Amino acid sequence: MRIPAHSVCTAIRDDIVRGVFERGGRLTEELLARRYGVSRVPVREALRTLESEGFVTTRRHAGACVAEPTEQDAADLLEVRTLLEPLGAARAARRRTDAHLKVLRGLVRLGQERARRGQGEDLRSLGGWFHETLAQASGSPGLTALLTQLRHKVTWMYAVEQHARPVESWAEHGAIVDAVARGDAERARALTALHAERAVPAHRLRHPAPERVRTSQHAVNTAGGHN
């Protein structure tokens, strides 16, 4: 696979998110350069960027490795996203363009149609596209980049269960777009916050921390305590 040098960072990040590279696994410049058909220079630069984003860590005597976030890291990440997405929606209500609004409305129509038909896989991709467009409509490149990075990380750390009531979920999307279209920043913020909070229980850690192995003595003492 040969890709442009400037896309090496995106390619490595995507492979980390998809699980091509295991957590804790080494990322050698030579292997990556060969995989993507580039020199080691853009690979080195990409690894620096990915380390700053939290996808890669540098270990003594091992070099660059895929990061191994803790459960607390994952929980914090999800909480930050639920705080920033409403901010993005509020800004979108003030700064969105007609082009943004057209795309958002089109996505809502498609989402509502797919929800009625029960086409889950389509809904997953449409939902990602919706939130990406909403972030872009904020008119804040920094916030958009941060939200994009958060979405990548959440996808990496969590598996998301199919929404139990997809029609209602897409009705919420529609209400958010209506608020954005009217320029009602506070309503857009409140609706997005509620939507984000309702989505949290559907997230399941892909790699939960293993349970600690109890010694037999500890187990006996614990049982005695409960009795």
Side-chain angles (χ1 to χ4, degrees):
M1 175 173 63
R2 181 174 293 275
I3 64 172
H6 69 271
S7 301
V8 173
C9 184
T10 298
I12 298 175
R13 185 193 299 109
D14 288 347
D15 279 345
I16 289 174
V17 170
R18 291 190 298 116
V20 174
F21 301 124
E22 295 182 356
R23 298 183 183 203
R26 291 186 63 193
L27 296 169
T28 66
E29 292 179 8
E30 182 180 359
L31 180 150
L32 295 173
R34 188 165 60 249
R35 174 177 174 80
Y36 303 116
V38 296
S39 72
R40 294 172 66 166
V41 174
V43 168
R44 192 174 303 125
E45 294 174 354
L47 290 175
R48 291 196 194 102
T49 298
L50 292 171
E51 183 169 18
S52 71
E53 294 179 357
F55 289 98
V56 171
T57 186
T58 300
R59 295 179 181 169
R60 190 175 182 182
H61 305 308
C65 301
V66 179
E68 298 179 273
T70 65
E71 290 189 17
Q72 187 60 59
D73 292 333
D76 289 346
L77 192 73
L78 206 54
E79 183 176 6
V80 169
R81 193 181 72 168
T82 62
L83 294 173
L84 289 184
E85 283 188 340
L87 172 62
R91 289 190 176 182
R94 302 186 187 101
R95 304 176 182 177
R96 56 83 180 169
T97 65
D98 289 341
H100 288 133
L101 200 55
K102 182 178 181 180
V103 173
L104 288 169
R105 281 175 167 160
L107 289 170
V108 168
R109 283 195 298 272
L110 283 174
Q112 291 174 338
E113 176 186 331
R114 299 295 193 275
R116 287 192 295 270
R117 295 180 180 178
Q119 295 173 308
E121 288 305 313
D122 285 350
L123 290 177
R124 195 179 301 277
S125 59
L126 285 171
W129 193 1
F130 175 87
H131 287 288
E132 181 178 345
T133 305
L134 187 62
Q136 292 171 352
S138 71
S140 174
L143 180 58
T144 301
L146 184 53
L147 284 169
T148 298
Q149 186 183 132
L150 285 170
R151 280 196 300 276
H152 285 314
K153 282 189 167 182
V154 168
T155 300
W156 178 38
M157 297 181 192
Y158 289 96
V160 182
E161 298 175 354
Q162 182 61 46
H163 199 287
R165 299 177 177 177
V167 173
E168 291 184 9
S169 178
W170 278 93
E172 292 173 5
H173 286 146
I176 292 169
V177 174
D178 288 343
V180 169
R182 293 195 304 271
D184 191 339
E186 289 311 309
R187 182 163 176 75
R189 184 197 300 271
L191 289 173
T192 304
L194 182 60
H195 179 72
E197 289 171 6
R198 287 175 174 170
V200 169
H203 290 71
R204 297 286 180 268
L205 281 172
R206 294 185 184 276
H207 301 277
E211 293 184 4
R212 294 182 179 178
V213 178
R214 296 176 177 176
T215 64
S216 58
Q217 181 63 43
H218 182 72
V220 169
N221 289 340
T222 301
H226 283 299
N227 289 336

